[in-house]
Structures are given as C-alpha cells and as structure tokens.
Amino acid sequence: METQNSTGKMGVGSLALFSLCAVIVVDTLTASASIGVSAIGWWLVTLIVFVIPYGLITSELSTTYPGEGGIYDWVKQAFGYKWAVRTTWFYWINVGLWMPAVYIMFAGMFSELFFPDLSLFWQIAICIGLTWLTIWICNVSVDVGVWVINIGAVLKITVIAVLGFGGFIYAAKHGVANEFTLSAMMPSLDTGVAFLPALVFNLMGFELVGTMTKEMKDVRDMPKSVFLAAGITAFLYVFGTVGILMALPVEDIGLVAGIVDTLRKLFGDGAFGQFMVYAIGVMALLTFIGNMVTWTMGASRAAAEAAGEGELPEMVAKVSEKYQTPVGANNITGMLSTVVILAYALFAQSSDELFWSVFAFSSCIFLLPYLFMFPSYLKLRISDPKTPRPFRVPGSMGVQWVLSIICFFVIAQAVVLFIFPDLLTLSINWTYSAPVFIGVILTVAMGEYLLKQAIARKEKAEQAALQQQNA
C-alpha cells in the first residue's frame, strides 16, 4: 500500500502521545481506585482480555481504511450509511455530553485546591469558560491543538507518576492504607462494581488516532503507536491506582476530591508539601483541558466528514477557511456542553453524584459506536478480503470471531452497568438510573431523527441527479 502523505507532521512519537492524551484520563483514576485493591486484578484482566484484541483490531482497521472519518468510515464501509450516521452521531455528540462531567470535576478540584467555599454559580461559570476555551483551541489550528495534546500527555504521565511513586514512599514511611494481599488483589464482584465500567471507559480511544491520517508521516506507523501507547497506558493506570490506594483507605476516596486528598496525604502540610499539592493539582487540572481538546479535535473531524457527505446537518460540515478546522462541529459541541452544564446546575446534588451521573450518561453514548465497530471489523474481513492490509491481526477467521465477540461483550456490559450499576445484586436504584436511562433514550431518538433527515436529503439528491440526467 502506498505511504500516505509523507509531508505529515506526526510520526510514531507524536501519534503515541496523541493516543496517550486521548486514552489516559486522570479524572476517572479515583473511580478506578474506588473499586479497592481488587482494581489491580480487574485492570490486568481487562488489559489481557480486552485491550490487546482492541488494539490489534484498531490497528488493522486504521491502516487498511485510513481517512479522517475513523470509526465512521469503517462502519460505513461494512454496513452502509445508515449505521455510519448513527455511529458518527454518538461518537461526536458524546464529547459535548462528556465535557460537562470533566469540567464539573475541574471546578470541584479547583475549589478544593484554592477556594474551598466557592459557590455553585462560580463553579458553573468556570465550566462554561473552559468549554469555550477548548472550542477556541480546536478552532484555531491543528498545530495549536497538537501542542496542547502533547503537553497534556506529558502532564498526565507526570501526575500519575507522582501519585504512584508518592504512594510507595508514603507506604514505606507510614504503612499502607489498604491491605495488599494476593487474595485482596484478585478480581472480586463484592466491592465497587458500580465503577467497573470506568475501567473499560478509561481504556477506550486508541482508534481516535485513525482520524489524523492527513497529519501522519506514514499511516503504517499506526500499529506501533497504538501498542506503544497501550503499554504505557496500562502501566500508568495500575501505577496511579496503586499509589492512591497506598495512601488513602478505600472508603475515604472521593470521586472529585480524591486526587487532591491523596496529594495532601502524600506531601503533608509543610511549605514544600503545600507547594507540591498546588503544583501537581494544577497539572492534573491542565490534563482535563488536554483531554477535551484531543477528543473534540478527533470527534469533530469525523462529524464534519459525515456532514460533508450529507449524513449530518449541513451546519456541522462548516470548516474554517483560514485553518481548515471543523468549526461547525466544534461550536455545536460547545453549545451542547453549555446547555448540559446549565441543566445539571439546576439539579445539582453533591459534586461527586453530579460528576458520576453526567459521566455515566455521556459514557454510555460514547461506548455505543464500539458496539458497531467490532462487528464492522468482522464484516470487512469477510466481505472485503482483497483490500491490502498493511497490518493484519494474526490468526484464523475463528480467532477473529472470538476476539471481536469478546470486545463486543466487554463494551455491552459496561453500557448496562453504567445505567444500572446495582444490577449484579438484582436491584435498581431508579433515582440514579432513570435520568441516565432517559438521557440515553433521548440521545438515541435524536440520532434516529437526524438519520431520517439524512435519508430524505440523500433521496432528494438522487432524484435531482436523475432528473438532470434525463433532461
């Protein structure tokens, strides 16, 4: 296969950093630690059973079908434009729904660090300000976006390394806050089951780099970058989780304040300790912005490409003449995030509950396209065997079925547990589950409405073309 766009700026290192910034999310590290010491076992199971097959499948799809649409292109190639429209809708719109959760956590951590009595009004103002800063960065240029992404990746690695090393040093001096025995580390359904889907969520996004093919020096670098990023990601998540659990008893880990609480425990109340808490805390806050820039850039490009083909409304296709950035998709993401922030402010409970309900809702939408991606991989292997595959997942067709089915079921259980976290105990807390479930249903319904519009546009264009031909 011909090397694509050798004038691109992103090599293996930049691609791996892009993937790292897309995949590693410091904001849900506390959710992983909330599972308890058995999180270590769950991480290892998830990495072996899910991440390796997912990385292999992503690498084959990205190199065989390169293009700015990424996951949208693959689903379209496999199942046609109707499923592609659904995929793009979920993949794009979840960013506008997830951004509020990330920035609610930012505002909560910012308040915890600097202004413990910060009112809800100012926390909401911070969330909205950050939303539009993110959109501005994504609108300005790819170069600025890539700089933010690379800095974000370095800061994430630094924050997690400090939490990990700090936890070990603290444990050496004061003893461990939780019991780290082999039996405690084994995967268990007894504790923190509600947070298990967060582990799957934390590992998604390796395919996002597939939307950056125009910026790559060589599209064949993708598998190397995916597995380099996957290896580093796996280590950092486990390391950071262990660090938090060494310093804080599991029952004291707050979803929003957990990182700041851990830093205070690690560094103490002295002048140096205070400096380190603020320095690492600010780094953690900056990683939230890096994360949202990465996802907005990738998802908006996919949405703009779909809109250009008439599969999403025309305004989504608008591209900046000066910077060639998808300003239409970016600006709509910003508007949606603002509306969700204001809507949730009306129902604000504690920041932990608020963060988790917004996060669970957006995560369900985020995971839905992956339910289409793995079947698309199988379909393309069967229906399109002649297309050259610069990278090919090893093994027989039976192996490909097993890998795809495992990945599909891992995603499906995460979606169900995000909506009904108590399902394994055969109970449902409707106060929590109902708003999340209704939000998911409304988002799916909106997608079906847009699909109906897209079909009408397509039929109208085909009729016009036919009339022109007959004239």
Side-chain angles (χ1 to χ4, degrees), residues 72 75 79-93 306 311-312 365 368-369 372 443-444 447-448 450-452 455:
Y72 153 79
V75 174
F79 296 115
Y81 82 96
K82 289 183 182 178
W83 286 103
V85 171
R86 292 182 177 108
T87 300
T88 310
W89 166 246
F90 296 138
Y91 202 67
W92 169 53
I93 212 68
E311 292 163 4
L312 283 175
I365 305 302
L368 290 179
F372 312 147
T443 308
V444 171
E448 291 305 303
L450 290 175
L451 174 59
K452 198 176 170 185
I455 293 167

Short mmCIF file of all heavy atoms in Angstrom, two decimals, residues 72 75 79-93 306 311-312 365 368-369 372 443-444 447-448 450-452 455:
data_model
loop_
_atom_site.label_atom_id
_atom_site.label_comp_id
_atom_site.label_asym_id
_atom_site.label_seq_id
_atom_site.Cartn_x
_atom_site.Cartn_y
_atom_site.Cartn_z
N TYR A 72 -16.27 6.05 11.80
CA TYR A 72 -17.38 6.30 10.87
C TYR A 72 -17.11 5.64 9.52
O TYR A 72 -17.98 4.99 8.93
CB TYR A 72 -17.56 7.82 10.74
CG TYR A 72 -18.17 8.28 9.44
CD1 TYR A 72 -19.54 8.19 9.23
CD2 TYR A 72 -17.38 8.83 8.43
CE1 TYR A 72 -20.11 8.63 8.04
CE2 TYR A 72 -17.93 9.26 7.25
CZ TYR A 72 -19.29 9.16 7.06
OH TYR A 72 -19.85 9.58 5.88
N VAL A 75 -17.49 1.69 9.78
CA VAL A 75 -18.87 1.22 9.88
C VAL A 75 -19.60 1.43 8.55
O VAL A 75 -20.37 0.58 8.10
CB VAL A 75 -19.62 1.94 11.04
CG1 VAL A 75 -21.09 1.56 11.07
CG2 VAL A 75 -18.97 1.59 12.38
N PHE A 79 -21.43 -1.59 6.85
CA PHE A 79 -22.89 -1.71 6.98
C PHE A 79 -23.68 -0.62 6.28
O PHE A 79 -24.90 -0.56 6.42
CB PHE A 79 -23.27 -1.75 8.47
CG PHE A 79 -22.73 -2.95 9.20
CD1 PHE A 79 -21.79 -2.79 10.22
CD2 PHE A 79 -23.14 -4.23 8.86
CE1 PHE A 79 -21.28 -3.90 10.89
CE2 PHE A 79 -22.63 -5.34 9.53
CZ PHE A 79 -21.70 -5.17 10.54
N GLY A 80 -23.00 0.28 5.56
CA GLY A 80 -23.73 1.31 4.83
C GLY A 80 -23.94 2.57 5.63
O GLY A 80 -23.63 2.65 6.82
N TYR A 81 -24.50 3.58 4.96
CA TYR A 81 -24.51 4.92 5.55
C TYR A 81 -25.46 5.08 6.73
O TYR A 81 -25.25 5.92 7.59
CB TYR A 81 -24.79 5.97 4.47
CG TYR A 81 -26.24 6.16 4.12
CD1 TYR A 81 -26.99 7.18 4.70
CD2 TYR A 81 -26.86 5.32 3.22
CE1 TYR A 81 -28.32 7.36 4.39
CE2 TYR A 81 -28.19 5.49 2.89
CZ TYR A 81 -28.92 6.51 3.47
OH TYR A 81 -30.23 6.68 3.16
N LYS A 82 -26.54 4.25 6.82
CA LYS A 82 -27.46 4.40 7.95
C LYS A 82 -26.75 4.13 9.28
O LYS A 82 -26.89 4.90 10.25
CB LYS A 82 -28.66 3.46 7.79
CG LYS A 82 -29.62 3.86 6.69
CD LYS A 82 -30.81 2.92 6.65
CE LYS A 82 -31.75 3.33 5.50
NZ LYS A 82 -32.89 2.41 5.38
N TRP A 83 -26.01 3.04 9.33
CA TRP A 83 -25.28 2.72 10.56
C TRP A 83 -24.13 3.69 10.77
O TRP A 83 -23.78 4.01 11.91
CB TRP A 83 -24.80 1.27 10.54
CG TRP A 83 -25.93 0.33 10.76
CD1 TRP A 83 -26.59 -0.42 9.83
CD2 TRP A 83 -26.60 0.09 12.01
NE1 TRP A 83 -27.62 -1.12 10.41
CE2 TRP A 83 -27.65 -0.84 11.75
CE3 TRP A 83 -26.42 0.54 13.31
CZ2 TRP A 83 -28.51 -1.31 12.74
CZ3 TRP A 83 -27.28 0.07 14.31
CH2 TRP A 83 -28.31 -0.83 14.02
N ALA A 84 -23.57 4.20 9.67
CA ALA A 84 -22.48 5.18 9.78
C ALA A 84 -22.99 6.48 10.41
O ALA A 84 -22.31 7.10 11.23
CB ALA A 84 -21.89 5.47 8.40
N VAL A 85 -24.22 6.89 10.02
CA VAL A 85 -24.80 8.11 10.59
C VAL A 85 -25.00 7.94 12.10
O VAL A 85 -24.65 8.82 12.90
CB VAL A 85 -26.15 8.46 9.91
CG1 VAL A 85 -26.86 9.59 10.65
CG2 VAL A 85 -25.93 8.83 8.45
N ARG A 86 -25.54 6.78 12.50
CA ARG A 86 -25.74 6.52 13.94
C ARG A 86 -24.39 6.57 14.68
O ARG A 86 -24.28 7.17 15.75
CB ARG A 86 -26.37 5.14 14.13
CG ARG A 86 -27.81 5.05 13.65
CD ARG A 86 -28.40 3.68 13.93
NE ARG A 86 -29.80 3.62 13.54
CZ ARG A 86 -30.26 2.95 12.48
NH1 ARG A 86 -29.43 2.26 11.72
NH2 ARG A 86 -31.55 2.95 12.20
N THR A 87 -23.39 5.92 14.10
CA THR A 87 -22.06 5.87 14.71
C THR A 87 -21.50 7.26 14.93
O THR A 87 -21.04 7.62 16.02
CB THR A 87 -21.09 5.06 13.82
OG1 THR A 87 -21.62 3.74 13.68
CG2 THR A 87 -19.70 4.99 14.43
N THR A 88 -21.53 8.06 13.86
CA THR A 88 -20.95 9.41 13.96
C THR A 88 -21.69 10.27 14.95
O THR A 88 -21.09 11.04 15.69
CB THR A 88 -20.99 10.11 12.58
OG1 THR A 88 -20.46 9.21 11.62
CG2 THR A 88 -20.17 11.37 12.58
N TRP A 89 -23.00 10.14 14.96
CA TRP A 89 -23.82 10.92 15.90
C TRP A 89 -23.39 10.63 17.33
O TRP A 89 -23.09 11.55 18.09
CB TRP A 89 -25.30 10.58 15.68
CG TRP A 89 -26.21 11.05 16.79
CD1 TRP A 89 -26.92 10.27 17.63
CD2 TRP A 89 -26.51 12.40 17.15
NE1 TRP A 89 -27.65 11.02 18.51
CE2 TRP A 89 -27.41 12.35 18.25
CE3 TRP A 89 -26.09 13.64 16.69
CZ2 TRP A 89 -27.91 13.49 18.85
CZ3 TRP A 89 -26.58 14.79 17.31
CH2 TRP A 89 -27.49 14.71 18.37
N PHE A 90 -23.31 9.36 17.71
CA PHE A 90 -22.92 9.01 19.08
C PHE A 90 -21.48 9.44 19.37
O PHE A 90 -21.18 9.96 20.45
CB PHE A 90 -23.05 7.49 19.31
CG PHE A 90 -24.45 6.97 19.21
CD1 PHE A 90 -24.72 5.77 18.56
CD2 PHE A 90 -25.52 7.66 19.76
CE1 PHE A 90 -26.01 5.28 18.46
CE2 PHE A 90 -26.82 7.19 19.67
CZ PHE A 90 -27.06 5.99 19.00
N TYR A 91 -20.61 9.19 18.42
CA TYR A 91 -19.17 9.44 18.62
C TYR A 91 -18.90 10.92 18.80
O TYR A 91 -18.05 11.31 19.60
CB TYR A 91 -18.41 8.90 17.39
CG TYR A 91 -16.96 8.60 17.63
CD1 TYR A 91 -16.58 7.56 18.46
CD2 TYR A 91 -15.96 9.33 16.99
CE1 TYR A 91 -15.25 7.26 18.67
CE2 TYR A 91 -14.62 9.03 17.19
CZ TYR A 91 -14.27 8.00 18.02
OH TYR A 91 -12.96 7.71 18.23
N TRP A 92 -19.65 11.72 18.05
CA TRP A 92 -19.44 13.17 18.12
C TRP A 92 -20.16 13.78 19.31
O TRP A 92 -19.58 14.52 20.09
CB TRP A 92 -19.91 13.81 16.80
CG TRP A 92 -20.00 15.30 16.84
CD1 TRP A 92 -19.02 16.17 17.22
CD2 TRP A 92 -21.13 16.10 16.49
NE1 TRP A 92 -19.47 17.47 17.13
CE2 TRP A 92 -20.76 17.46 16.68
CE3 TRP A 92 -22.41 15.81 16.03
CZ2 TRP A 92 -21.64 18.51 16.42
CZ3 TRP A 92 -23.28 16.85 15.77
CH2 TRP A 92 -22.89 18.19 15.97
N ILE A 93 -21.47 13.44 19.46
CA ILE A 93 -22.29 14.13 20.45
C ILE A 93 -21.85 13.80 21.88
O ILE A 93 -22.05 14.60 22.80
CB ILE A 93 -23.80 13.85 20.22
CG1 ILE A 93 -24.64 15.06 20.64
CG2 ILE A 93 -24.25 12.60 20.96
CD1 ILE A 93 -24.44 16.26 19.77
N ALA A 306 -18.75 13.40 7.87
CA ALA A 306 -20.09 12.82 7.67
C ALA A 306 -21.07 13.88 7.17
O ALA A 306 -21.88 13.63 6.27
CB ALA A 306 -20.59 12.22 8.98
N GLU A 311 -24.74 13.41 5.66
CA GLU A 311 -25.26 12.44 6.64
C GLU A 311 -25.50 13.04 8.02
O GLU A 311 -26.02 12.38 8.91
CB GLU A 311 -24.31 11.24 6.70
CG GLU A 311 -24.37 10.48 5.38
CD GLU A 311 -23.22 9.53 5.17
OE1 GLU A 311 -22.39 9.40 6.09
OE2 GLU A 311 -23.14 8.93 4.09
N LEU A 312 -25.08 14.28 8.20
CA LEU A 312 -25.46 15.07 9.38
C LEU A 312 -25.85 16.45 8.84
O LEU A 312 -25.52 16.78 7.70
CB LEU A 312 -24.28 15.18 10.36
CG LEU A 312 -23.98 13.96 11.24
CD1 LEU A 312 -22.73 14.19 12.07
CD2 LEU A 312 -25.15 13.60 12.16
N ILE A 365 -23.23 6.88 25.85
CA ILE A 365 -23.30 7.35 24.46
C ILE A 365 -21.96 7.13 23.79
O ILE A 365 -21.88 6.69 22.64
CB ILE A 365 -23.69 8.85 24.41
CG1 ILE A 365 -24.99 9.12 25.17
CG2 ILE A 365 -23.79 9.35 22.97
CD1 ILE A 365 -26.19 8.36 24.70
N LEU A 368 -21.47 3.40 22.69
CA LEU A 368 -22.37 2.80 21.70
C LEU A 368 -21.72 2.57 20.33
O LEU A 368 -21.93 1.50 19.74
CB LEU A 368 -23.64 3.66 21.55
CG LEU A 368 -24.61 3.65 22.75
CD1 LEU A 368 -25.80 4.56 22.48
CD2 LEU A 368 -25.09 2.24 23.08
N PRO A 369 -20.91 3.50 19.77
CA PRO A 369 -20.30 3.24 18.45
C PRO A 369 -19.41 2.00 18.43
O PRO A 369 -19.28 1.36 17.38
CB PRO A 369 -19.45 4.50 18.18
CG PRO A 369 -20.06 5.55 19.01
CD PRO A 369 -20.60 4.87 20.23
N PHE A 372 -20.83 -1.10 17.21
CA PHE A 372 -20.86 -1.24 15.74
C PHE A 372 -19.47 -1.53 15.18
O PHE A 372 -19.34 -2.17 14.14
CB PHE A 372 -21.39 0.04 15.08
CG PHE A 372 -22.65 0.61 15.67
CD1 PHE A 372 -22.87 1.97 15.68
CD2 PHE A 372 -23.62 -0.22 16.23
CE1 PHE A 372 -24.04 2.50 16.23
CE2 PHE A 372 -24.78 0.30 16.78
CZ PHE A 372 -24.98 1.67 16.77
N THR A 443 -31.13 10.70 23.46
CA THR A 443 -30.00 10.90 22.54
C THR A 443 -30.11 9.96 21.34
O THR A 443 -29.87 10.36 20.20
CB THR A 443 -28.65 10.66 23.27
OG1 THR A 443 -28.62 11.46 24.46
CG2 THR A 443 -27.48 11.04 22.40
N VAL A 444 -30.49 8.70 21.61
CA VAL A 444 -30.70 7.72 20.52
C VAL A 444 -31.84 8.21 19.61
O VAL A 444 -31.72 8.17 18.38
CB VAL A 444 -31.01 6.32 21.10
CG1 VAL A 444 -31.44 5.36 19.99
CG2 VAL A 444 -29.79 5.76 21.83
N GLY A 447 -30.77 10.94 17.35
CA GLY A 447 -29.96 10.36 16.28
C GLY A 447 -30.83 9.76 15.18
O GLY A 447 -30.54 9.91 13.99
N GLU A 448 -31.93 9.09 15.58
CA GLU A 448 -32.84 8.49 14.59
C GLU A 448 -33.54 9.58 13.77
O GLU A 448 -33.78 9.41 12.57
CB GLU A 448 -33.88 7.60 15.30
CG GLU A 448 -33.30 6.33 15.91
CD GLU A 448 -32.53 5.48 14.91
OE1 GLU A 448 -33.11 5.08 13.88
OE2 GLU A 448 -31.33 5.22 15.14
N LEU A 450 -32.23 12.55 13.06
CA LEU A 450 -31.22 13.05 12.13
C LEU A 450 -31.00 12.07 10.99
O LEU A 450 -30.75 12.47 9.85
CB LEU A 450 -29.90 13.31 12.87
CG LEU A 450 -29.90 14.49 13.83
CD1 LEU A 450 -28.58 14.56 14.59
CD2 LEU A 450 -30.14 15.80 13.10
N LEU A 451 -31.07 10.77 11.30
CA LEU A 451 -30.92 9.74 10.26
C LEU A 451 -32.06 9.86 9.24
O LEU A 451 -31.84 9.78 8.03
CB LEU A 451 -30.92 8.35 10.90
CG LEU A 451 -30.91 7.16 9.94
CD1 LEU A 451 -29.68 7.21 9.04
CD2 LEU A 451 -30.93 5.85 10.71
N LYS A 452 -33.29 10.08 9.74
CA LYS A 452 -34.45 10.23 8.85
C LYS A 452 -34.23 11.43 7.92
O LYS A 452 -34.52 11.36 6.71
CB LYS A 452 -35.70 10.44 9.72
CG LYS A 452 -37.01 10.19 9.00
CD LYS A 452 -38.17 10.32 9.98
CE LYS A 452 -39.49 10.32 9.21
NZ LYS A 452 -40.63 10.56 10.11
N ILE A 455 -31.63 10.53 5.26
CA ILE A 455 -32.20 9.67 4.19
C ILE A 455 -33.00 10.54 3.21
O ILE A 455 -32.89 10.37 1.99
CB ILE A 455 -33.10 8.57 4.81
CG1 ILE A 455 -32.24 7.58 5.61
CG2 ILE A 455 -33.88 7.82 3.73
CD1 ILE A 455 -33.03 6.64 6.51
#
